[in-house]
Amino acid sequence: MSDCKRKAIVVGSGIAGISAAIRLANKGFLVEVYESNSYPGGKLTVLQLGSYRFDAGPSLFTMPEYVNELFRISGRDPKDYFEYHTCKTACHYFFEDGTFLPFSSDKMMLLDQVGKTLNVDTRPLEKRFEKSAFIYEKTHYTFLESSLHQWKNYFRKEILKTIVAIPGLDIFTTMHKANESSLNHPKLVQIFDRYATYNGSDPYQAPGILNIIPHLEHGIGTYFPKHGMHSITTSLVRLAEELGVQFHYNSKVDEIVEDGRNVKGVKVNETFIPAEVVICNSDVKPAYNFLLKNVKAKKKTLQQEPSSSAMIFYWGIKKKFDQLDLHNIFFSSDYQTEFRHIFKNQTVCDDPTVYIHISSKYVAEDAPDSGENWFVMVNVPSNKGQDWELMRHEIRSKILSKLSRMIGEDIEALIDEEDYLDPIRIEKRTSSFAGALYGASSNDRMAAFFRHPNFSKVEGLYFVGGSVHPGGGIPLCLLSAKIATDLIN
Ligand SMILES: Cc1cc2nc3c(=O)[nH]c(=O)nc-3n(C[C@H](O)[C@H](O)[C@H](O)COP(=O)(O)OP(=O)(O)OC[C@H]3O[C@@H](n4cnc5c(N)ncnc54)[C@H](O)[C@@H]3O)c2cc1C
């Protein structure tokens, strides 16, 4: 029976590759996934340091419905594989002047907290959320859920909805200007500007339409998997294997074999493996530079500015901190300088914003009873040949002095276990160009149109993942797999 099936190969087992494999298996393909690493998941992986478990990459989980959908289309109940909590609080925000703002997921509670803490009228904040919901409602189909690169999509009624709404989408202003002109407190502006970092962009350059992002967190909700972020990978791999998908680890694809018109298969360790369909989950730049011999991508696509990268310290901390939650932000007192350093100077400022993610707040077994697993991150530029060894030491001391000052405790003395991730390691472990977290940045208003489409000039060759349309981050990667596989009959 399986001999009659058409064969599909997926290059890479990032979250988009795994979900493309599941969708193709559901379409009746015989699917094989070839992965360079000895493990699946790409950036969505795990790290164990002594008795502390860390989700090594993504920590913020929005739009779980896109994960659930993969179980449903496979005739499974998602709850048998993957469960998650709804987070009561989106984030704890800390400012240098001592202001503490827990951003509740409950809108009424949040407005009350903000009104009391900042002593402001909260109607502008309410309106900002409404605006974010408006942008989502008018654009999500056009920009996120369908291909921007197929003419036929421009004749659908949803596009008309987007076009009519253009004057209200803030396309011609920046995120920061839109936030500054509508919110009535600089701390709220800073909190809303921060959403630009959710796809590795700069709020002082990125278009105001990116103010869609707060709606994902505060309109649709923020969630956390019961067994941590890595369980997204493990549960989907389990599903894929049940559907007959074969995973080959330690198997780097050296070439996607094509004749310029049709895809033929892939080459792994000098062996040619034929396939009718190849889905490339490798970053699009190395794919064109190293894997494809007869086709070129548009210059504009390959020249897009990379998104920001990250410097992360995984610290097993031998103490519990009640004032901290799952997601915590310790803001820089000069946000504009911070982004100028990242995107113009290609370095990190003296007072970077520090993000601490503590999964043990929700998953108790991730840390010993008396401790917490701190994932401590600052945004950094993509790799342009900076001295990362030196920068890592400098950033570590900046973080330690900022956290010790703002928390009022010698944090270094509490570090029980330690490891790190930097742009070099990210690139080495996932082939992401320059260690960028989200492919290209969205600083250019036309960025969405310049991203590589989910199909290619080569018949049978498709692209999925954070470096192609609709962009980086787990939900968009899952959508990229849906858009690509929907194009395959
Ligand atoms: C530190 C960090 C924090 C993040 N935080 C968040 C967050 O909070 N929320 C969120 O939604 N997103 C976040 N992201 C982004 C998110 O992780 C990514 O957008 C997403 O996981 C990318 O998935 P992908 O499918 O594009 O593949 P990747 O995860 O990039 O994996 C690609 C895979 O392909 C393999 N591969 C590449 N080339 C080949 C080849 N030639 N042969 C075989 N295999 C190959 C690689 O080894 C890798 O396993 C974060 C990312 C990082 C690194």
Side-chain angles (χ1 to χ4, degrees):
M1 174 70 184
S2 64
D3 286 350
C4 326
K5 285 188 169 184
R6 286 187 296 159
K7 169 104 167 270
I9 286 176
V10 181
V11 181
S13 68
I15 191 66
I18 301 168
S19 81
I22 291 169
R23 288 183 177 278
L24 287 173
N26 273 298
K27 279 180 175 267
F29 278 85
L30 199 65
V31 188
E32 292 189 32
V33 180
Y34 287 86
E35 167 57 55
S36 306
N37 292 325
S38 57
Y39 55 86
K43 298 182 181 82
L44 194 43
T45 186
V46 69
L47 173 73
Q48 188 76 38
L49 292 178
S51 40
Y52 301 87
R53 192 202 70 91
F54 297 86
D55 288 310
S59 54
L60 184 77
F61 183 42
T62 52
M63 312 194 80
E65 202 38 52
Y66 294 141
V67 177
N68 287 344
E69 187 186 340
L70 293 167
F71 295 104
R72 290 214 185 87
I73 60 164
S74 309
R76 298 339 195 238
D77 182 346
K79 287 204 177 67
D80 293 338
Y81 293 76
F82 175 67
E83 288 190 88
Y84 49 86
H85 304 277
T86 302
C87 298
K88 288 204 177 95
T89 306
C91 190
H92 277 189
Y93 291 108
F94 298 84
F95 296 83
E96 280 282 357
D97 65 2
T99 306
F100 167 57
L101 254 181
F103 247 49
S104 172
S105 302
D106 177 307
K107 206 64 76 43
M108 293 317 288
M109 198 184 275
L110 169 61
L111 294 173
D112 188 51
Q113 280 161 342
V114 169
K116 284 186 182 136
T117 310
L118 300 180
N119 197 17
V120 288
D121 172 9
T122 54
R123 268 170 303 180
L125 175 60
E126 234 178 319
K127 284 222 164 79
R128 198 77 294 249
F129 281 126
E130 283 165 17
K131 175 74 172 220
S132 185
F134 170 84
I135 299 175
Y136 177 81
E137 144 74 8
K138 299 295 178 194
T139 65
H140 72 100
Y141 176 80
T142 305
F143 284 99
L144 306 182
E145 289 170 31
S146 59
S147 176
L148 273 179
H149 306 89
Q150 281 192 305
W151 282 112
K152 70 175 169 61
N153 287 345
Y154 287 86
F155 298 101
R156 296 199 174 157
K157 69 173 189 312
E158 288 86 353
I159 295 271
L160 200 64
K161 210 159 93 174
T162 308
I163 292 171
V164 171
I166 282 175
L169 297 179
D170 289 342
I171 293 171
F172 301 103
T173 185
T174 65
M175 277 182 94
H176 174 72
K177 282 189 183 143
N179 291 330
E180 197 181 35
S181 64
S182 57
L183 290 161
N184 54 355
H185 197 287
K187 287 188 169 61
L188 292 176
V189 174
Q190 189 165 17
I191 288 172
F192 276 73
D193 281 357
R194 180 186 160 247
Y195 288 109
T197 65
Y198 283 31
N199 72 1
S201 303
D202 171 358
Y204 299 91
Q205 296 185 63
I209 191 171
L210 284 197
N211 283 321
I212 186 177
I213 301 173
H215 179 70
L216 308 187
E217 191 168 279
H218 282 278
I220 300 175
T222 162
Y223 304 89
F224 199 70
K226 279 201 169 148
H227 302 289
M229 295 297 285
H230 185 235
S231 66
I232 303 175
T233 297
T234 51
S235 61
L236 289 180
V237 168
R238 183 181 144 208
L239 171 65
E241 286 177 340
E242 284 178 13
L243 296 172
V245 174
Q246 279 183 54
F247 286 83
H248 304 271
Y249 299 111
N250 300 306
S251 301
K252 181 174 183 297
V253 169
D254 298 315
E255 184 181 342
I256 295 174
V257 182
E258 37 75 32
D259 61 10
R261 297 226 308 261
N262 294 292
V263 82
K264 306 284 181 193
V266 298
K267 246 190 217 169
V268 179
N269 291 327
E270 298 301 313
T271 305
F272 171 64
I273 304 145
E276 278 120 305
V277 165
V278 173
I279 304 257
C280 181
N281 181 212
S282 171
D283 186 293
V284 72
K285 285 195 193 183
Y288 277 93
N289 290 339
F290 306 116
L291 303 183
L292 291 159
K293 300 254 182 308
N294 302 302
V295 271
K296 287 196 169 30
K298 285 194 178 129
K299 258 198 188 151
K300 270 270 187 225
T301 298
L302 297 189
Q303 285 170 351
Q304 276 190 294
E305 176 191 39
S307 78
S308 55
S309 185
M311 177 73 74
I312 294 154
F313 296 95
Y314 307 98
W315 288 336
I317 294 282
K318 48 191 179 197
K319 189 175 169 176
K320 282 189 185 293
F321 288 83
D322 291 342
Q323 68 271 49
L324 300 182
D325 200 60
L326 182 69
H327 304 291
N328 310 274
I329 284 288
F330 291 80
F331 268 125
S332 166
S333 36
D334 185 351
Y335 223 23
Q336 193 156 11
T337 297
E338 176 169 8
F339 284 99
R340 198 175 57 243
H341 274 74
I342 297 172
F343 287 97
K344 296 228 162 70
N345 306 357
Q346 308 295 334
T347 183
V348 172
C349 68
D350 285 338
D351 176 30
T353 297
V354 180
Y355 166 65
I356 308 182
H357 165 62
I358 309 173
S359 71
S360 62
K361 296 282 183 192
Y362 275 69
V363 188
E365 55 279 18
D366 282 356
D369 285 347
S370 55
E372 292 178 343
N373 61 341
W374 286 20
F375 165 112
V376 182
M377 172 176 149
V378 299
N379 294 306
V380 304
S382 59
N383 179 28
K384 303 256 181 352
Q386 298 93 328
D387 182 346
W388 288 105
E389 186 68 15
L390 177 69
M391 280 175 73
R392 175 158 56 85
H393 290 293
E394 288 175 355
I395 292 170
R396 187 178 183 278
S397 353
K398 287 172 190 173
I399 293 176
L400 282 169
S401 77
K402 185 172 180 83
L403 292 181
S404 300
R405 183 174 67 242
M406 291 177 77
I407 295 177
E409 184 104 26
D410 178 3
I411 300 299
E412 189 163 27
L414 297 172
I415 300 175
D416 198 14
E417 300 282 351
E418 175 159 9
D419 202 349
Y420 74 93
L421 188 69
D422 66 2
I424 305 274
R425 285 190 168 180
I426 293 171
E427 180 160 22
K428 213 163 166 190
R429 292 174 187 176
T430 65
S431 299
S432 298
F433 179 76
L437 301 192
Y438 303 96
S441 81
S442 295
N443 291 343
D444 188 311
R445 143 173 357 116
M446 297 302 287
F449 296 92
F450 295 143
R451 274 180 197 275
H452 195 285
N454 303 106
F455 55 90
S456 73
K457 291 176 201 157
V458 177
E459 185 68 35
L461 173 63
Y462 299 86
F463 284 84
V464 299
S467 68
V468 299
H469 178 73
I474 296 167
L476 301 197
C477 286
L478 293 168
L479 282 172
S480 73
K482 181 171 190 315
I483 298 170
T485 53
D486 279 353
L487 296 169
I488 302 168
N489 297 315

